[in-house]
Amino acid sequence: MPSAVADSRLIVPRLPPRHISRPRLLADLDRAADLPLTLLAAGPGSGKTVLLSDWVRHTSARVAWLTPTAADADPRRFWPLLAGALYSVAGIDRGPPGMPQTGTFDLVQALLADVPDHAPQLVVVIDDAHVLNPQEVLEGLDRLIRGSQGLRLILSARSDPL
C-alpha cells in the first residue's frame, strides 16, 4: 500500500498563529522576481522561514520548497530531493520510461527543460541552504540558475554560501 505521508522537507512550513506580515520585505522579494538568484541571509530565529512562507502564500509563481538537513547535503541525497520538489509543483511528468529515475543533476536539468515556456514562473526555495557545503552541490545549483530560463532560486541561509 503506497504511503500518503508527504516528505516534510518538501512542504512550505505553516505560518505561526501570531506572525507579523512584513509588507516591505514581501515587496522586496516580488521586486527581485526577474533575478535568477535571491539570497536571504540572517541569523537563526530572525524570521527567514516565516517571511518566505508568507511570500509563498501571496505569489502567483509555482514554488518548489526544499528544507535540506545536513545529511541531505550529500549530492546523492540532494539531487533526488530537489527532483522530488520539482515533481510536486512544476507539472512535470516523471519522464519517459527510458529516462533514469534517479535524482542526479542531469535529471534535474532535464526536468527543468520540460517546463513549458508559457507556465507561471518556477521558483525553487531552499531554506537552511547553509547546510549545502559540498562543492558539487553548489556548482550544480550555479549551473542550474545560469542555464535554466525562467527559473528563480531563493536561498535562505544563516550565512553566505561558500
Side-chain angles (χ1 to χ4, degrees):
M1 180 170 156
S3 173
V5 177
D7 188 337
S8 62
R9 298 169 298 173
L10 305 180
I11 297 174
V12 178
R14 296 178 119 170
L15 289 171
R18 294 182 163 203
H19 88 283
I20 297 171
S21 189
R22 306 286 188 201
R24 184 184 59 79
L25 295 175
L26 294 171
D28 286 346
L29 286 169
D30 286 338
R31 276 192 292 280
D34 293 334
L35 301 174
L37 175 65
T38 302
L39 173 62
L40 180 59
S46 60
K48 300 177 298 291
T49 301
V50 171
L51 174 67
L52 289 172
S53 294
D54 194 12
W55 178 79
V56 166
R57 286 165 174 72
H58 291 95
T59 186
S60 61
R62 294 167 301 150
V63 179
W65 185 280
L66 176 59
T67 306
T69 64
D72 296 325
D74 182 299
R76 292 170 299 187
R77 290 183 60 154
F78 177 75
W79 297 114
L81 194 61
L82 180 55
L86 291 170
Y87 287 137
S88 67
V89 300
I92 300 170
D93 191 11
R94 292 204 179 244
M99 181 181 251
Q101 297 301 309
T102 58
T104 64
F105 170 80
D106 293 330
L107 175 60
V108 169
Q109 197 169 33
L111 290 172
L112 290 171
D114 286 345
V115 175
D117 291 337
H118 64 278
Q121 182 183 36
L122 178 60
V123 178
V124 176
V125 173
I126 302 179
D127 196 20
D128 289 342
H130 54 272
V131 303
L132 301 177
N133 293 320
Q135 196 64 29
E136 181 182 338
V137 170
L138 296 173
E139 288 173 359
L141 289 173
D142 183 58
R143 288 193 325 238
L144 276 181
I145 60 173
R146 291 179 189 274
S148 302
Q149 289 290 6
L151 174 68
R152 179 180 180 195
L153 180 62
I154 299 177
L155 299 178
S156 171
R158 293 180 178 178
S159 61
D160 289 356
L162 296 174

